[in-house]
Amino acid sequence: MDALASTLRGIVRAAAPIVIAAQGELITERAGVINLSLDGSIMLAAMTAHVVARTTGSLVQAVLAAMAVGAAVAFVVVFSSIALRLNQVAVGFVLTILCADLAIFLGKPHFNQPGREIPTVPIPILEDIPILGPALFRHNILIYFSLILVGVLTLYLYRTRWGLTLRSIGEQPAAAFVRGTPVNPLRYVYTLVGGSLVGLAGATYSLSVKLGWKEDLAGEGWIALAIVIFGLWMPWRVMLGAYLIVGLRSIAINLQDSNTIDLPAQIINMLPWFLMIVTLLIATSG
């Protein structure tokens, strides 16, 4: 029982940054903007949070700085799309490479240096629930936020007038404009909100999941992007997709360590993606 609770707790913790980043991208795409800069943005935000936390000693400032970085990158995407009428995909790819290289260059003096950690705040009574208690209620505030965010966003999208407006400017912008909805200003707002969440995901990595600044975050943004599509732009399905991929990666790592399956490491690392594709086909069939 303790091993199961520990495994589930590890999955919830490791998946939190992907959940936050994917929900941010979900908001952005629901508004009709595609932000492909997630991978580089997460790396730059993670580096920024680590550096600010070390230099100022303030975790709050570190989180806010990371969110500002994510919002700034997102602003470039939406401004290029709306004001300059540039291709969103091309701009996103360029920003991904630029932000990743910038993070590596600026973060060199802080590479593998001891980092600050956001303290764990167990929730009394709830943490004593068998299995679910340790898995869900023994985390820090950013992990809790990743869980709360899914519920809040689901209610916002499907139970509020503002959520209906958000979906309309992404799905039927012409109809929304005719009804008097300020489509482009709202796209700016929602893209900045989504970008700030991507920045928060970067801070969650360096201040909670992978303490300090390390360059092994490359690829996490692409996973978040894939999970948004996997979850069909629904918050709770996106969250389940994040937990699924992290759980499958954990199983793949355990198989490698135990040597129970005689397969190349590359094949084992591909298994989570293969199973995810199969799950997507099953979920969307019929």
Side-chain angles (χ1 to χ4, degrees):
M1 297 289 280
D2 290 340
L4 177 59
S6 177
T7 300
L8 292 176
R9 181 175 183 272
I11 290 174
V12 171
R13 179 171 172 269
I18 299 178
V19 172
I20 295 173
Q23 301 297 339
E25 178 63 15
L26 184 150
I27 293 172
T28 301
E29 294 192 13
R30 282 287 192 176
V33 179
I34 300 175
N35 182 4
L36 294 185
S37 68
L38 265 66
D39 203 56
S41 185
I42 287 175
M43 291 182 65
L44 187 58
M47 185 277 296
T48 300
H50 170 64
V51 172
V52 172
R54 289 192 71 226
T55 54
T56 67
S58 172
L59 292 173
V60 174
Q61 291 183 31
V63 170
L64 292 177
M67 294 178 70
V69 167
V73 176
F75 176 79
V76 175
V77 173
V78 69
F79 180 79
S80 300
S81 172
I82 295 176
L84 303 181
R85 298 186 181 277
L86 299 178
N87 186 284
Q88 297 178 21
V89 175
V91 172
F93 273 120
V94 170
L95 285 175
T96 293
I97 298 171
L98 175 63
C99 291
D101 289 344
L102 194 60
I104 294 172
F105 174 73
L106 296 178
K108 267 188 177 180
H110 305 275
F111 185 73
N112 279 337
Q113 296 295 319
R116 296 286 305 278
E117 181 179 6
I118 296 179
T120 299
V121 184
I123 299 179
I125 301 177
L126 295 180
E127 67 167 325
D128 297 325
I129 299 174
I131 302 180
L132 290 181
L136 298 178
F137 304 112
R138 292 181 186 174
H139 296 287
N140 61 49
I141 190 170
L142 292 183
I143 310 300
Y144 293 139
F145 176 78
S146 71
L147 299 171
I148 296 170
L149 176 62
V150 176
V152 171
L153 187 54
T154 299
L155 292 174
Y156 184 84
L157 281 174
Y158 302 109
R159 293 291 184 270
T160 69
R161 181 179 178 182
W162 302 286
L164 178 61
T165 301
L166 169 57
R167 287 184 286 142
S168 69
I169 65 175
E171 298 171 6
Q172 298 291 338
F177 180 77
V178 169
R179 294 201 330 259
T181 302
V183 174
N184 285 342
L186 285 178
R187 282 181 169 174
Y188 273 98
V189 170
Y190 284 118
T191 302
L192 291 178
V193 171
S196 66
L197 288 176
V198 174
L200 181 61
T204 305
Y205 271 120
S206 60
L207 301 178
S208 179
V209 178
K210 298 181 178 181
L211 298 183
W213 163 237
K214 301 177 181 64
E215 298 175 11
D216 60 353
L217 294 181
E220 298 299 297
W222 297 117
I223 292 175
L225 280 165
I227 288 173
V228 173
I229 301 172
F230 171 84
L232 301 177
W233 296 271
M234 299 179 185
W236 65 273
R237 292 185 65 157
V238 169
M239 178 188 68
L240 292 180
Y243 290 153
L244 175 62
I245 192 65
V246 170
L248 292 174
R249 285 201 302 187
S250 176
I251 293 173
I253 292 172
N254 291 334
L255 289 176
Q256 284 180 314
D257 294 339
S258 63
N259 294 320
T260 55
I261 297 181
D262 187 17
L263 287 175
Q266 293 80 2
I267 299 297
I268 294 178
N269 290 332
M270 286 171 56
L271 289 178
W273 293 104
F274 173 75
L275 293 175
M276 193 172 182
I277 292 173
V278 172
T279 304
L280 176 61
L281 293 175
I282 294 173
T284 56
S285 63

